[in-house]
Amino acid sequence: MFISILIFGFLFGLILRYASLNKYNTIGGMATLDDLTVAKAIAVAIGFGAILLNIEIGLGFASFHVKPLILGGIVIGGILFGTGMAILGYCPGTLAISLGEGSLDALAGIIGGLLGGLVFTLVLPSIKSILGPDLGAISLQTLIPSKVAFYVVLIIIGVVFIAAAFWLHGFEKQKNYRWLIAGALLALLNTIVFSHFGSDRPIGASTTYPYLSDLLAGLTQNDYFAKIQKPGHWELIFLGGAFLAGLIGSLVTKTFKLKMIYENWEKYRGASNVQRAIWAFIGGFILIFGARMAGGCTSGHVISGGMQMAVSSLLFAVVVFGSLLLTGKLFYKS
């Protein structure tokens, strides 16, 4: 099992590296609307993956793992997650890949994320009241009981997501299609991980941070750690594979380089290494705290949940991208 999870993480890292989806310039560029690669790849992954995954589930080769619609957590967590993602310029999963490539700002973000995970564990008992109400695991499949109608609507929605990606592509000058291939491969990889012969769970990353920080701090005798112990262990191995993909991939292509400042950050925020490290730390803290409030991140909620047509995940995606763009507008000023 360890080896298979490591391989899944390694493939995940290679796919994201192929389309530069782990790069600060790409994710930070989404916040400033300088680069739409992230939105396009995610739209393809959700659209193609929803069709692929639901057929797999219909054939009995996989199961649904829909996250519940916990309204306060989804909305507030989504706002925080989008804010942290814009400032940091990474997602919980892409931090590991970029660290492997030598990105020092990713290291600062990881340290901030570990602290964010630890603080969330400590304050969870006192903020539980603002996370609710829990409206249950609602998805397209639960809303449309007729199988025929479900698959018809599913295919229409899937096509709309893919069409939206091509529509966004029309606004960009750069016309390579790596985002399309990466989005399709992410959908395929997630479908394999979902399967009963894979890991029987969705791809995810953010649970790693409270899991690891709680372990390091000895904060394991609580209900939250008991809840995240199994998924956190899986995701830690998965991100280990993603880190290796970044490290080995950058060494093979001779692109490994210790670096703190990237072009987009310098363009808007200047060339101070100290300032970048501080903001990356803050962004990482906010990112992971928001992810844990919402119960997932870009990979575990937006893509994996979106492929299941989960209402909680689709709402989270809308809130995250809204917060990402608003923060980008306010935080990055040329």
Side-chain angles (χ1 to χ4, degrees):
M1 181 64 80
F2 176 88
I3 298 299
S4 64
I5 300 170
L6 198 69
I7 291 172
F8 288 147
F10 189 79
L11 292 174
F12 176 76
L14 290 182
I15 292 169
L16 295 191
R17 285 196 79 250
Y18 170 74
S20 298
L21 288 165
N22 65 296
K23 308 289 188 183
Y24 167 81
N25 282 343
T26 305
I27 298 175
M30 181 69 227
T32 56
L33 293 179
D34 292 320
D35 193 319
L36 303 178
T37 304
V38 172
K40 293 186 296 184
I42 287 178
V44 170
I46 293 175
F48 178 57
I51 297 170
L52 205 61
L53 176 63
N54 281 279
I55 290 175
E56 178 185 48
I57 292 173
L59 293 173
F61 297 136
S63 303
F64 283 108
H65 297 276
V66 175
K67 293 181 184 293
L69 179 56
I70 303 176
L71 206 54
I74 296 292
V75 174
I76 301 173
I79 292 171
L80 291 175
F81 187 89
T83 300
M85 184 176 167
I87 295 170
L88 176 59
Y90 298 103
C91 302
T94 64
L95 280 167
I97 306 166
S98 292
L99 176 62
E101 296 176 335
S103 297
L104 297 176
D105 57 340
L107 176 59
I110 289 171
I111 296 171
L114 289 172
L115 181 60
L118 180 65
V119 171
F120 180 79
T121 301
L122 291 171
V123 303
L124 178 58
S126 62
I127 66 169
K128 277 186 176 180
S129 60
I130 69 171
L131 297 181
D134 185 345
L135 302 178
I138 308 170
S139 67
L140 186 67
Q141 187 261 346
T142 63
L143 294 173
I144 305 178
S146 168
K147 285 190 176 182
V148 174
F150 166 71
Y151 282 107
V152 169
V153 174
L154 174 72
I155 291 171
I156 292 172
I157 293 176
V159 170
V160 167
F161 268 96
I162 296 170
F166 280 96
W167 176 72
L168 289 173
H169 188 62
F171 290 99
E172 296 200 295
K173 294 178 181 178
Q174 192 176 14
K175 295 300 180 183
N176 79 73
Y177 286 87
R178 290 195 171 199
W179 57 270
L180 176 61
I181 297 169
L185 289 175
L186 279 175
L188 181 60
L189 177 62
N190 216 347
T191 302
I192 294 171
V193 174
F194 258 99
S195 68
H196 296 316
F197 54 83
S199 286
D200 195 18
R201 57 154 291 150
I203 284 175
S206 66
T207 315
T208 303
Y209 295 84
Y211 169 73
L212 182 57
S213 61
D214 289 1
L215 269 181
L216 293 174
L219 195 64
T220 58
Q221 302 302 313
N222 58 80
D223 293 339
Y224 183 63
F225 185 82
K227 179 182 177 181
I228 66 170
Q229 186 171 8
K230 185 176 179 180
H233 179 71
W234 188 98
E235 291 178 19
L236 179 61
I237 300 170
F238 181 80
L239 289 190
F243 169 80
L244 290 176
L247 177 62
I248 295 171
S250 61
L251 290 175
V252 169
T253 58
K254 298 180 180 179
T255 55
F256 178 88
K257 185 178 181 181
L258 295 176
K259 193 171 182 178
M260 178 70 77
I261 303 288
Y262 289 90
E263 293 78 8
N264 270 21
W265 179 271
E266 187 172 359
K267 174 183 175 182
Y268 292 102
R269 302 289 303 188
S272 168
N273 287 326
V274 174
Q275 185 187 74
R276 174 54 184 153
I278 291 171
W279 278 114
F281 176 86
I282 293 170
F285 182 97
I286 297 170
L287 181 85
I288 297 303
F289 194 92
R292 298 327 306 153
M293 284 191 74
C297 60
T298 323
S299 53
H301 231 326
V302 178
I303 296 177
S304 298
M307 286 173 57
Q308 297 175 88
M309 291 286 113
V311 173
S312 58
S313 299
L314 295 175
L315 175 61
F316 178 72
V318 170
V319 175
V320 165
F321 276 99
S323 176
L324 175 79
L325 295 177
L326 180 59
T327 303
K329 186 175 181 63
L330 297 175
F331 184 75
Y332 294 102
K333 295 178 181 179
S334 56

